[in-house]
Amino acid sequence: MKLRTKLWLLLMLSAAFSMVLFGFTSVWIGKTANKGYALFELNPLALSIVDSIEKQPASGPDALKRILDRAHEEHPEIRLLWIDETGMSFYDTAGLNPTFTFHDLAKLMQNMPKQYLTNDDVPIITPATWSGQSYYLLMTIPASAMKQGEVYFLIRTLKSLLTLVLPLILSFSLPYLLALWSFTELNKRIRKLNNALNQLNIQSSSPVVELADSSKDEIGQLTQHYNSMAHRIRSQFAQIQQFENNRKLLLSNLSHDLRTPLTTMLGYAEMIRTGNYSDEKDLQARAKIILQRCRYMDKLLDQMLDISRQDAEALTLRSVDHNVSELTRKIAAEYIMILDGEQFEFDVEIPDEDISIPIDAPLVERALRNILDNAIRYGKEGRYLGIRLKEDGQSVNVSVTDKGKGIPPEHQAHIFERFYRVDSGRKGEGLGIGLAIVKDVALAHHGSIEVHSTPNEETVFKLKLPR
Ligand code: ADP
């Protein structure tokens, strides 16, 4: 059943139930808490007494008195008087037998309803015929014997009933109608949200359906969350797809990168085995090529191992106080040696004093080597390598600068992602995980890695390690 139908049913039922409850409780409370005579009960009582007297006209005054006394016994609060046409009391259950003038009777009749609202006795006068003559039955009831509060309605026609029932129904239904209206509004908003969620397609290239709901209530908040969730899902899916594409590309590159040197190596090894070389120099040259290819493959396999390690576990740090300036100096010296004779300009700024901070030295060394390898591999044409170590109150910063082709701005935010390579079509230059490892190392140390690159001018990688 739809929510709307459910609510309609619920409201109808509760409106009907509350009306029944109202009627029932008001009658019940009236009966238990509001004791006494009701005005509408007195007239029938008077008529029934008159009726029983009129039915026995020939039985004489004794029978009349007996009837009145019995009525008085049944209703001790009520005083009953039998009055003749001249106003003389024929019988008074109180035994006072007063005489009434016409004026007295007229006044009693006139004030009948009014008396009911005051604290005086309430009179009920009923005309009667007995023994062929006209009489009156006068009943007087003390105000204290009447119901203390009584809602009585003078309903003569069905129309007058409507005047009561219609306002009652309206006043009962108004809160329900308001509740229904507000629920319908809420329902509309929920339906919109529902539809949007239903239509949310993470793969589609069409723009995300944004919902406008500026209200601050829970549904408004839910709508805002939906909007941001829809965008997040889309962008995360795009990232996953990108990641997946990079992974596939990596695999195809890798098989290519492994097969090419292997073919060369097999060819040269076969030449050596069959003695198909001119002299010792030629043999050495071929052996050197085999060695180079072996190293290259070894490096590739190392990187693959890194990938599977990264997949398997997060980095676990074994931090001890380590002299970062010494570490950086050692690595810088090594790279200067490697590039010796390559007409490189070196700019090394490492303070002489010891800077010791708690680090996992092998991991930091690996991160620095990854950055330096990249600077040489991708920035070689700049013929410049800068290695600087600086410290401030909060951190120790190692930066590596090259002046090669650099990284276009649109790629800078992605190069720390796994398998991301700026020129993804290029083969044999790496698997796109070097910088992802650098980032992991930096984060494991609660530090950071930043890149600032102006293509063909300067590219700086800055590794920040907190003190
Ligand atoms: P890879 O194994 O491809 O080198 P990295 O994660 O180390 O993977 O680097 C990601 C990409 O960032 C590289 O493919 C390269 O395109 C780019 N890159 C990294 N360092 C530099 C640099 N110094 N100059 C230009 N491009 C760089």
Side-chain angles (χ1 to χ4, degrees), residues 303 374-375 377-378 402 406-407 415 420-423 426 429-436 459 461:
Q303 293 194 33
N374 281 351
R377 196 188 296 156
Y378 302 111
D402 70 72
I407 305 159
I415 54 168
Y420 194 89
R421 297 168 71 196
V422 172
D423 182 359
R426 192 172 52 199
E429 285 195 22
L431 304 180
I433 64 151
L435 289 178
T459 298
F461 281 88

Side-chain angles (χ1 to χ4, degrees), residues 377-388:
R377 196 188 296 156
Y378 302 111
K380 202 167 193 168
E381 60 270 35
R383 304 272 147 204
Y384 175 92
L385 184 66
I387 304 174
R388 286 183 195 82

Side-chain angles (χ1 to χ4, degrees), residues 334-351:
E334 220 177 89
Y335 275 83
I336 289 172
M337 223 162 70
I338 294 170
L339 294 170
D340 189 30
E342 297 243 7
Q343 291 163 349
F344 252 71
E345 182 191 337
F346 297 105
D347 193 352
V348 181
E349 260 181 62
I350 301 170

Side-chain angles (χ1 to χ4, degrees), residues 27 50 65 136 143 164 170 221 234 242 269 278 280 299 321 356 385 396 423 432 434 445 448 465:
V27 168
V50 168
K65 285 175 190 169
Y136 299 97
L164 170 77
L170 274 182
Q221 286 174 5
R234 274 285 176 90
Q242 173 77 33
S278 46
E280 179 66 20
K299 211 170 157 194
D321 269 352
S356 282
L385 184 66
V396 174
D423 182 359
H445 282 86
S448 63
L465 298 168

Side-chain angles (χ1 to χ4, degrees), residues 53-190:
I53 292 172
E54 282 177 345
K55 273 184 187 152
Q56 310 176 347
S59 17
D62 287 343
L64 175 117
K65 285 175 190 169
R66 228 179 299 120
I67 292 172
L68 293 178
D69 283 339
R70 204 185 317 125
H72 182 61
E73 262 167 40
E74 278 170 24
H75 306 278
E77 296 95 341
I78 303 179
R79 179 183 171 190
L80 299 124
L81 290 106
W82 192 253
I83 303 163
D84 68 15
E85 268 182 327
T86 59
M88 291 271 291
S89 295
F90 186 84
Y91 184 66
D92 177 3
T93 54
L96 301 175
N97 293 317
T99 305
F100 295 89
T101 62
F102 180 75
H103 178 74
D104 292 335
L105 289 174
K107 219 169 151 197
L108 279 177
M109 299 266 281
Q110 184 197 10
N111 289 335
M112 254 167 62
K114 237 199 229 164
Q115 299 288 88
Y116 186 67
L117 301 173
T118 67
N119 270 336
D120 295 336
D121 290 354
V122 176
I124 306 284
I125 297 175
T126 315
T129 314
W130 184 58
S131 304
Q133 288 191 30
S134 295
Y135 286 88
Y136 299 97
L137 172 69
L138 171 63
M139 296 197 317
T140 59
I141 305 108
S144 57
M146 297 296 290
K147 274 192 192 302
Q148 294 307 300
E150 189 184 25
V151 181
Y152 64 97
F153 310 110
L154 299 171
I155 300 167
R156 281 190 293 137
T157 60
L158 271 180
K159 260 189 197 164
S160 64
L161 192 70
L162 279 187
T163 60
L164 170 77
V165 174
L166 264 186
L168 202 68
I169 290 177
L170 274 182
S171 54
F172 265 109
S173 330
L174 192 70
Y176 295 109
L177 289 175
L178 279 177
L180 188 72
W181 170 77
S182 89
F183 177 81
T184 313
E185 290 298 303
L186 281 185
N187 205 20
K188 247 190 240 162
R189 291 162 66 200
I190 293 177

